[in-house]
Amino acid sequence: RLTGIDVSSGAVEIAQHRHLNELVEGSRFENHPFDDTGLPDGFADAVMSTDALFYAADQKVLFEEVARIGKPGSRLAFTSFELRARRPVLAAGPVLDYRQALEAAGFEIQTYEEAPEWESRTRAVFSGILEQREKLQEELGETAANLTIAWARLRPQELADSRRVFVVANRQ
């Protein structure tokens, strides 16, 4: 069973719109904040996140919630950005390192590394977004597309003050 939780109602709508629930029987997508997922204790065998956790206001509270919903021995895998300073374009940060908050929440870190070639790949994504502006407006609608395009124009200026990490940790 797949349960998708996102802080963005727009992301939940996109997931539902793409009919991902048809690929995994019984899957569902819900909108909840990082610190209150709405899931019961010991719910998950695994938790994963892609480039979102740096938005959480309190990393300690975030990983406590992940530990609460994970079964003993469950695995957490994520990519996220470490930000040396608050990033206006992202409205996030600073997040210097996730290890202390992970360990305080009861996770044993298995992997903590800079994602390979993250900067060149991220810049390629931004270029692709800017090249496909019209198609994005058709697919996402004007508001979402314009926000995405603005992000792709402004975020590259902030890459020098961040790094993207790949982390795998087990709940003890």
Side-chain angles (χ1 to χ4, degrees), residues 76-80 98 102 109 111-113 165-169:
L76 166 64
F78 67 90
T79 57
S80 194
Y98 295 96
L102 281 163
I109 298 167
T111 303
Y112 196 103
E113 62 191 28
V165 293
F166 170 65
V167 181
V168 177

Side-chain angles (χ1 to χ4, degrees), residues 28-168:
R28 68 181 202 242
F29 302 93
E30 299 176 4
N31 177 231
H32 292 284
F34 286 113
D35 60 351
D36 184 11
T37 61
L39 298 173
D41 294 358
F43 175 81
D45 294 312
V47 175
M48 59 121 350
S49 175
T50 305
D51 299 342
L53 300 184
F54 60 92
Y55 286 113
D58 187 330
Q59 301 299 314
K60 179 180 180 293
V61 172
L62 161 72
F63 291 122
E64 287 172 352
E65 176 68 359
V66 174
R68 184 191 67 76
I69 66 170
K71 294 176 181 173
S74 61
R75 180 164 285 188
L76 166 64
F78 67 90
T79 57
S80 194
F81 289 94
E82 293 177 337
L83 308 169
R84 291 183 193 96
R86 181 148 180 81
R87 305 306 334 147
V89 173
L90 297 173
V95 178
L96 302 177
D97 195 300
Y98 295 96
R99 287 176 270 221
Q100 185 176 359
L102 281 163
E103 290 169 348
F107 286 95
E108 180 181 341
I109 298 167
Q110 304 298 309
T111 303
Y112 196 103
E113 62 191 28
E114 186 167 3
E117 301 177 36
W118 73 269
E119 190 170 353
S120 62
R121 291 176 181 183
T122 302
R123 288 184 188 281
V125 168
F126 296 146
S127 294
I129 288 169
L130 296 174
E131 289 170 10
Q132 299 295 321
R133 283 181 285 233
E134 290 179 21
K135 188 172 183 179
L136 280 172
Q137 287 177 330
E138 289 173 21
E139 289 183 14
L140 300 177
E142 189 172 338
T143 301
N146 287 342
L147 287 170
T148 303
I149 291 164
W151 171 73
R153 283 187 181 133
L154 298 171
R155 176 71 175 119
Q157 302 163 31
E158 300 177 343
L159 293 180
D161 285 339
S162 61
R163 77 177 191 141
R164 186 171 186 240
V165 293
F166 170 65
V167 181
V168 177

